[in-house]
Amino acid sequence: MKSFFALVLLVVVLHDSKCAKILGVFPIPVRSHYSLGNALMKGLAEHGHDVTIVTPYIDKNPPKKGSYRQIELTGFAEAHEKHRKNMKMFDMEDMNSFVSLPVFLSIATAGAELTLNHTNVQNLLHSGEKFDAVILPQFMNDAHKGFAAHFDAPLILLSPLGANTWVNMLVANPSPTSYVPDALLSLSSQMTFCDRLTNTVFQVYSHLLNHLLAFPKQEKLYNQYFPNNPPFYDVLYNTSIVLVNSHPSLSQPVPYVPNMIDIGGFHIKPAKTLPDDLQKFLDDSKEGVIYFSMGSNLRSAELPPEKRDVFLSTFAKMKMKILWKWEEDVLPGQPKNVKLGKWLPQQEILAHPNVKLFITHGGLLSTTETIYHGVPVLAIPIAGDQKLNAHRIVNEGFGLSLGYKEISEQTLTQKLDELLNNSKYAKNAKKRSEIFHDRLVGPMETAVYWVEYVIRHRGAPHLKVAGVDLPWYKYMLVDVVGVIFIALVFNSYLFYKITKKICSWFSKPKVQKVKRS
Ligand SMILES: *[C@@H]1O[C@H](CO)[C@@H](O)[C@H](O)[C@H]1NC(C)=O
Ligand SMILES: *[C@@H]1O[C@H](CO)[C@@H](O)[C@H](O)[C@H]1NC(C)=O
Ligand SMILES: *[C@@H]1O[C@H](CO)[C@@H](O)[C@H](O)[C@H]1NC(C)=O
């Protein structure tokens, strides 16, 4: 029955949509960000739209259907790679979120400027082309919202990190700090008093940082590169919909205003066939396989030698096979049961029934993919939202988390034993996977439907909550609370005065009596 409805909805969607011209600007040269943007834009092209993507990487397998134009931000990928090499990524584990936020902000602002000033982007801006919708990631690149106003097209945001402060602010989404932890803090949804205090203070801090530091910088950029556009703040709060890379199977359920749409998992395609050698390796490993990858941005080849040796000696003791994403040609001291791959088809590996465990940094994409396939995890979170994801993994009971600093042969062995011996982790992973797949329509179809919806309804202003137009003190009811407070103080004062008066009336005769006698 459900698939019948899905089919009907899909047919309606396909039937109703004309070919639209859609622009996506996804300049962040981080692979996971790029994968999300590219997957969304490819999905739109595959549904017959005329798609243009501004991107740091060129996809060598563009979709066969529709039209897919890639405008390369030449030099971005190289610059990022150089920067990444100079930075010890594993050292970011230490970084405090209060410190990392302004650092992120300044990097992001510089990136936003480089994009706008890029020759290929300038050519696009001056091409006189028209678009029916503009899609941007929401990642401290607010000046880019000028693209939407410039092309007179509705603005659609893709939020890579679920619902977070940056997005909530723009569409007036309520996000109580009592139970919604900030994406950059390593807190779970069950917060102690101190957690709630930290969460609230951090929220205020990040609002202040945005309003006092980030937005003015973005406004300057915006005015410089879009001199003929409407004022920055009018465009900033003019988001039609936010496509949120999240789903209740992936993260804690939180409130959404009507123009926030869950599309978590949209980037995942059904598993393809594996390369022959991997297929054989996985098929033959009846004792089970552990898949180990720290993602594309962190590289396990950059693990300090002492940490690397912990993994080597722990793996060497095990009967199971290990498939390790290792980015160099040789791994010194490679045990017999370890197979290496510089690049590994993660989704196809996770789909294999012999894969029993995934050791991951806990990035959102890896977490999503492991839930899709129902594989339990050992998370070793380093930076960004990874600690938050690790908390969720532990809370939902489909994995364990091991702090980077705590990695030793003893702790690693202990965690692996627990994960592999206790069947509850695999069961919970399967349960999460069932929740993930139980939807009316798939996440990519949902995303395409809503993009087309926004185009059909010219920005769909009827979905916006009125809170977007309120200044913060009205939104937070500071004025109302203030008046109530003043009234209370005034009444208390009045009450005090009247009581005093009445008391003095009653006491007066007594005093007089005393005086007389
Ligand atoms: C913008 O680009 C021009 C030429 O492409 C270059 O001369 C200029 O320095 C750039 N400005 C910034 C701020 O990067
Ligand atoms: C806000 O978006 C709508 C829908 O795309 C558009 O009609 C309107 O002009 C935009 N307003 C500003 C100030 O950009
Ligand atoms: C499971 O538990 C047994 C005994 O409790 C232990 O010997 C073994 O190493 C554990 N690990 C695995 C992966 O079976």
Side-chain angles (χ1 to χ4, degrees):
M1 199 61 180
K2 200 183 292 136
S3 52
F4 170 72
F5 277 124
L7 196 69
V8 170
L9 199 59
L10 197 67
V11 170
V12 172
V13 167
L14 290 176
H15 185 75
D16 222 3
S17 58
K18 293 194 292 276
C19 165
K21 275 195 78 171
I22 304 170
L23 170 68
V25 183
F26 289 90
I28 303 164
V30 173
R31 277 280 170 189
S32 52
H33 276 264
Y34 164 73
S35 312
L36 284 179
N38 192 42
L40 177 62
M41 299 313 285
K42 274 171 94 166
L44 287 163
E46 276 156 8
H47 282 78
H49 295 293
D50 181 353
V51 169
T52 301
I53 181 171
V54 175
T55 165
Y57 305 105
I58 289 293
D59 191 326
K60 304 218 170 58
N61 299 307
K64 312 244 168 358
K65 266 190 76 187
S67 139
Y68 202 64
R69 175 171 54 148
Q70 305 183 64
I71 297 182
E72 189 182 358
L73 290 164
T74 45
F76 270 42
E78 294 79 359
H80 172 71
E81 187 52 26
K82 212 169 121 201
H83 177 72
R84 212 196 56 79
K85 276 215 174 102
N86 290 336
M87 219 159 94
K88 290 208 166 60
M89 297 297 282
F90 285 97
D91 288 353
M92 284 174 56
E93 209 270 329
D94 263 343
M95 240 193 195
N96 180 302
S97 295
F98 283 85
V99 181
S100 61
L101 193 54
V103 174
F104 276 154
L105 270 177
S106 70
I107 295 174
T109 316
E113 161 129 53
L114 283 177
T115 307
L116 289 168
N117 194 42
H118 198 283
T119 323
N120 296 347
V121 172
Q122 282 298 317
N123 290 343
L124 177 69
L125 283 171
H126 294 110
S127 64
E129 270 188 70
K130 284 267 166 281
F131 290 99
D132 299 311
V134 169
I135 307 184
L136 305 175
Q138 176 58 30
F139 201 75
M140 303 185 251
N141 54 340
D142 300 281
H144 290 180
K145 295 192 170 63
F147 282 110
H150 178 89
F151 292 113
D152 194 20
L155 172 62
I156 295 170
L157 296 178
L158 171 64
S159 173
L161 285 189
N164 58 56
T165 314
W166 303 310
V167 169
N168 294 338
M169 223 179 319
L170 299 178
V171 290
N173 187 46
S175 179
T177 51
S178 50
Y179 68 91
V180 183
D182 192 281
L184 294 181
L185 295 178
S186 34
L187 298 173
S188 74
S189 52
Q190 270 76 45
M191 287 186 261
T192 62
F193 173 79
C194 285
D195 292 346
R196 278 178 288 130
L197 186 65
T198 312
N199 197 33
T200 308
V201 170
F202 190 75
Q203 190 96 164
V204 172
Y205 171 72
S206 84
H207 273 263
L208 287 177
L209 216 59
N210 268 295
H211 287 279
L212 302 179
L213 212 74
F215 289 161
K217 275 190 186 169
Q218 297 283 340
E219 184 183 17
K220 211 170 133 234
L221 273 182
Y222 175 90
N223 289 339
Q224 186 184 342
Y225 288 95
F226 300 104
N228 304 320
N229 270 14
F232 172 69
Y233 286 96
D234 292 354
V235 173
L236 182 66
Y237 293 104
N238 200 22
T239 303
S240 289
I241 52 166
V242 183
L243 301 173
V244 188
N245 181 33
S246 184
H247 185 257
S249 61
L250 307 170
S251 59
Q252 183 205 351
V254 292
Y256 277 4
V257 289
N259 57 344
M260 288 173 83
I261 317 291
D262 256 345
I263 59 162
F266 71 99
H267 73 285
I268 304 181
K269 294 207 156 177
K272 294 191 281 281
T273 49
L274 280 158
D276 289 343
D277 66 319
L278 278 177
Q279 184 74 48
K280 187 168 164 14
F281 172 77
L282 291 173
D283 285 347
D284 292 349
S285 305
K286 298 278 184 262
E287 63 281 46
V289 178
I290 296 175
Y291 170 52
F292 179 23
S293 163
M294 293 298 275
S296 50
N297 207 37
L298 291 162
R299 287 171 202 197
S300 49
E302 286 165 16
L303 274 169
E306 69 276 10
K307 296 286 182 202
R308 188 186 65 208
D309 291 344
V310 169
F311 286 101
L312 286 173
S313 50
T314 309
F315 291 158
K317 286 186 308 194
M318 300 183 76
K319 281 197 219 69
M320 288 178 84
K321 298 274 171 56
I322 286 94
L323 186 53
W324 186 340
K325 179 173 165 288
W326 175 260
E327 299 82 2
E328 275 157 26
D329 290 322
V330 282
L331 169 59
Q334 174 184 356
K336 271 207 216 60
N337 59 341
V338 173
K339 183 176 168 64
L340 305 177
K342 279 193 189 172
W343 180 86
L344 292 168
Q346 177 151 306
Q347 297 184 29
E348 285 71 24
I349 291 169
L350 290 173
H352 198 282
N354 285 348
V355 173
K356 301 295 180 211
L357 184 70
F358 180 16
I359 305 181
T360 167
H361 62 315
L364 195 56
L365 295 198
S366 291
T367 309
T368 309
E369 287 158 20
T370 204
I371 287 174
Y372 181 101
H373 295 290
V375 179
V377 257
L378 175 60
I380 304 176
I382 306 292
D385 62 324
Q386 294 155 17
K387 291 183 187 174
L388 184 77
N389 297 335
H391 265 291
R392 284 175 183 158
I393 288 166
V394 175
N395 267 355
E396 305 298 349
F398 65 96
L400 292 174
S401 170
L402 177 59
Y404 175 71
K405 283 212 199 68
E406 275 85 64
I407 299 175
S408 69
E409 211 174 311
Q410 195 204 347
T411 54
L412 186 63
T413 310
Q414 187 202 339
K415 298 265 175 182
L416 289 178
D417 275 350
E418 166 70 7
L419 282 163
L420 296 167
N421 271 344
N422 192 334
S423 63
K424 86 168 193 209
Y425 299 99
K427 265 194 208 126
N428 286 334
K430 287 278 169 291
K431 203 158 80 191
R432 285 276 119 194
S433 178
E434 280 162 19
I435 300 171
F436 180 100
H437 290 281
D438 198 342
R439 313 190 200 201
L440 188 57
V441 270
M444 182 59 95
E445 274 66 40
T446 307
V448 172
Y449 170 80
W450 282 101
V451 170
E452 292 172 349
Y453 182 94
V454 165
I455 295 171
R456 278 199 295 277
H457 296 280
R458 298 177 200 294
H462 56 272
L463 292 179
K464 271 183 214 165
V465 297
V468 178
D469 301 321
L470 296 179
W472 69 272
Y473 66 89
K474 284 191 188 168
Y475 183 83
M476 309 280 290
L477 290 175
V478 174
D479 48 354
V480 172
V481 174
V483 166
I484 293 175
F485 180 73
I486 291 170
L488 277 178
V489 170
F490 180 72
N491 281 338
S492 311
Y493 179 74
L494 217 62
F495 181 71
Y496 166 74
K497 275 290 182 198
I498 292 170
T499 319
K500 210 170 141 194
K501 199 87 185 167
I502 293 173
C503 287
S504 68
W505 283 340
F506 281 109
S507 51
K508 251 179 208 158
K510 259 189 199 162
V511 175
Q512 282 166 355
K513 255 184 209 165
V514 173
K515 264 192 176 171
R516 256 185 233 154
S517 61

